[in-house]
Amino acid sequence: MAKSIQAIRGMNDILPHQTPLWQMAEQAIRDAVSSFGYSEIRMPIVESTDLFKRSIGEVTDIVEKEMYTFEDRNGDSLTLRPEGTACCVRAGNQHGLLYNQEQRLWYTGPMFRHERPQKGRYRQFHQFGVEVYGIGDADADAEVLLLSQHLWQKLGMQDHVRLEINTLGDHAERATYRDLLIAFLEQHLDVLDEDAKRRMYSNPLRVLDTKNPAIQAILIDAPKLSECLGEESKQHFSKLCELLELAGIKYQINERLVRGLDYYNRTVFEWVTDSLGAQGTVLAGGRYDGLVEQLGGKATPAVGFAMGIERLVLMLEALELTENVKPVVDVYLTAMGDEAQQQSFIMSQKLRLAHPTLRIMKHCGGGNFKKQMKKADRSGASIALILGQDEIENQKVSVKYLREDKPQVTLSYAELSELLNGL
Ligand code: ATP
Ligand code: MG
């Protein structure tokens, strides 16, 4: 037997029994962004490697060790996108969507990072993200958070996620803080691990979100970024907090929250959950006012977030929030005898046209009553329609209830139509 070929490690098939839940989650996402009037943007999956190096930052987990980078046949260095924000800014700049304009955009699609695969962490995963351009005011930060909260509510998850926020100030304030933090870290070299030592000069803020308990312990006494903030940054943050309170969105300020990407300024946030184990961040984002200019556009304020759809789906499963998952088939049409087979073929299509929201599957391949009923049951349909010689002669259809304890009935076409309208 030939050796079978397997999928790439960390890259998952989403199988037919899983897609109904995915579709429910994706529908909730589409409904949420549409309630807020956001427009969809679709970007390519492959971009120039430089795009990510220049935006995410050279000294970040993503660029240092997670990118799928390769040379194409012309010798250009290309990368499978590890995230969507840089791509969105690239597209916005290229097509003149950003300067002096407001854009409220959303996207979804696969992202690629060469990480160690584990629950909630994969090499191909899917993100949903929103990006708002042209609004520097904190009400835009509050709006994207309200949108995310709206999504939790739609999915019934609002009691299982909590919001952490922080402010990183502007670039000058962060530079001041950087120096203070480096000076502090230099006094604790004996405690720092390799990662922290490597980063303390190039990206010292990243040391703050270390998972190493010994370093976490010394960081309790580290200088605080909040002490370096100027008046404008403070006001921006307090306006955000005020709007969140007005909207009834509970939050915790976490001064250690710095995010793994370089482009953030001022607001950063994460929605976290306890129902996923180690991979507890479901949605993360913040403001990135400098990125558009850094990527060659004219200075444009921006704020956005990205959510991992796998983690969302894992949460929905763990919390058993699956009652809105739609079955793939509602009605299964069976037929006994040659004439009925032919008639049912035509009837199935008439029913689809008359009841466009129903999912109607017609049995194919013949077989006896028992075999056809078995397939009807397996399809997940709530009813089976039966067309036999008797039914054809009397212009009727029999209905067998597959999930309810009700007797089989024989209906006229008009009665059938009424029944289907009620499904
Ligand atoms: P983490 O700290 O978990 O590595 P991150 O800071 O790298 O996350 P972002 O780049 O902010 O994550 O991506 C936003 C969201 O995308 C995350 O909160 C998570 O839900 C999801 N995500 C990120 N990396 C992965 C991955 N490898 N597999 C599945 N989901 C992911
Ligand atoms: Mg990561």
Side-chain angles (χ1 to χ4, degrees):
M1 215 166 58
K3 190 167 180 284
S4 69
I5 296 172
Q6 304 286 307
I8 308 300
R9 198 164 112 82
M11 304 205 179
N12 299 314
D13 299 304
I14 301 166
L15 297 173
H17 72 275
Q18 301 169 307
T19 45
L21 181 55
W22 276 74
Q23 287 174 355
M24 182 200 74
E26 287 161 352
Q27 192 56 48
I29 289 168
R30 270 193 290 274
D31 290 345
V33 287
S34 117
S35 284
F36 279 72
Y38 283 47
S39 304
E40 186 182 2
I41 182 165
R42 302 185 187 195
M43 297 85 66
I45 285 171
V46 182
E47 299 269 3
S48 301
T49 302
D50 275 348
L51 173 64
F52 303 111
K53 287 197 175 165
R54 277 171 55 184
S55 55
I56 297 169
E58 299 263 7
V59 191
T60 56
D61 281 350
I62 294 180
V63 173
E64 278 182 337
K65 48 192 186 198
E66 297 175 358
M67 294 209 301
Y68 278 92
T69 296
F70 60 96
E71 256 184 31
D72 81 351
R73 289 173 192 273
N74 318 327
D76 298 327
S77 180
L78 306 184
T79 293
L80 299 185
R81 62 182 187 192
E83 59 117 35
T85 302
C87 311
C88 193
V89 171
R90 195 268 312 136
N93 279 341
Q94 183 174 335
H95 302 286
L97 303 179
L98 305 183
Y99 180 61
N100 248 343
Q101 297 176 63
E102 283 182 12
Q103 295 288 351
R104 287 172 166 85
L105 306 177
W106 73 278
Y107 62 84
T108 185
M111 306 292 161
F112 302 84
R113 298 184 193 178
H114 196 277
E115 307 197 63
R116 194 170 68 78
Q118 51 196 292
K119 186 181 167 201
R121 192 176 292 288
Y122 312 101
R123 291 182 174 173
Q124 174 174 334
F125 61 101
H126 297 78
Q127 280 184 339
F128 148 63
V130 310
E131 315 288 355
V132 174
Y133 297 99
I135 308 172
D137 197 280
D139 55 5
D141 312 25
E143 178 173 292
V144 298
L145 285 167
L146 186 62
L147 193 159
S148 52
Q149 153 109 340
H150 189 78
L151 180 63
W152 309 140
Q153 280 170 338
K154 267 186 172 305
L155 292 166
M157 298 166 57
Q158 65 277 14
D159 297 333
H160 306 278
V161 282
R162 58 173 195 279
L163 175 62
E164 297 192 352
I165 60 174
N166 190 21
T167 178
L168 302 177
D170 64 22
H171 288 291
E173 291 153 9
R174 256 200 292 177
T176 311
Y177 178 63
R178 222 183 102 100
D179 295 343
L180 288 177
L181 184 61
I182 292 174
F184 173 84
L185 294 171
E186 279 173 341
Q187 289 161 21
H188 295 89
L189 287 176
D190 50 328
V191 184
L192 300 187
D193 57 21
E194 281 313 306
D195 239 21
K197 279 187 191 148
R198 193 167 46 84
R199 283 182 166 156
M200 65 178 278
Y201 294 106
S202 52
N203 197 350
L205 265 68
R206 284 311 308 279
V207 179
L208 294 179
D209 69 357
T210 176
K211 302 250 157 39
N212 181 328
I215 304 178
Q216 282 176 346
I218 59 151
L219 287 174
I220 293 171
D221 300 319
K224 290 202 155 59
L225 212 160
S226 55
E227 290 153 12
C228 302
L229 296 181
E231 216 30 60
E232 274 185 50
S233 291
K234 279 187 192 155
Q235 268 174 19
H236 187 97
F237 194 56
S238 61
K239 178 162 184 188
L240 169 63
C241 295
E242 204 176 294
L243 286 170
L244 292 177
E245 280 154 34
L246 262 176
I249 302 176
K250 294 200 189 74
Y251 61 87
Q252 285 170 323
I253 297 175
N254 173 0
E255 291 211 37
R256 294 271 188 77
L257 185 65
V258 294
R259 309 281 309 119
L261 299 82
D262 275 359
Y263 49 62
Y264 289 111
N265 70 307
R266 293 203 170 157
T267 312
V268 287
F269 54 80
E270 289 189 355
W271 282 96
V272 291
T273 178
D274 297 323
S275 47
L276 287 184
Q279 268 56 254
T281 306
V282 193
L283 183 153
R287 185 162 274 287
Y288 54 97
D289 295 331
L291 185 60
V292 174
E293 194 174 20
Q294 196 182 315
L295 290 177
K298 297 225 172 78
T300 305
V303 58
F305 67 68
M307 180 190 78
I309 302 183
E310 279 78 2
R311 291 188 196 176
L312 179 77
V313 167
L314 281 170
M315 269 192 84
L316 291 169
E317 280 171 347
L319 299 167
E320 296 180 13
L321 295 169
T322 54
E323 66 260 40
N324 291 332
V325 175
K326 289 215 183 101
V328 177
V329 178
D330 300 304
V331 176
Y332 194 93
L333 180 51
T334 65
M336 311 300 147
D338 288 344
E339 195 185 344
Q341 299 279 358
Q342 280 200 351
Q343 293 240 359
S344 71
F345 184 64
I346 303 302
M347 179 183 280
S348 68
Q349 189 53 9
K350 281 190 181 147
L351 292 176
R352 287 183 193 111
L353 292 170
H355 304 276
T357 57
L358 287 184
R359 299 127 192 264
I360 299 172
M361 180 177 275
K362 192 199 88 66
H363 179 83
C364 287
N368 61 22
F369 182 78
K370 205 170 151 206
K371 176 179 164 191
Q372 295 196 29
M373 278 308 140
K374 210 171 183 177
K375 294 223 170 139
D377 189 46
R378 272 202 212 139
S379 74
S382 54
I383 58 172
L385 302 184
I386 305 161
L387 204 61
Q389 205 50 43
D390 279 359
E391 280 87 355
I392 291 173
E393 276 162 23
N394 301 315
Q395 303 216 341
K396 296 206 161 175
V397 179
S398 295
V399 177
K400 187 171 162 54
Y401 292 90
L402 300 171
R403 318 286 152 205
E404 286 166 285
D405 196 11
K406 280 196 201 169
Q408 185 170 319
V409 288
T410 300
L411 305 178
S412 69
Y413 294 157
E415 289 166 331
L416 174 66
S417 188
E418 210 165 291
L419 176 100
L420 295 182
N421 283 336
L423 278 190

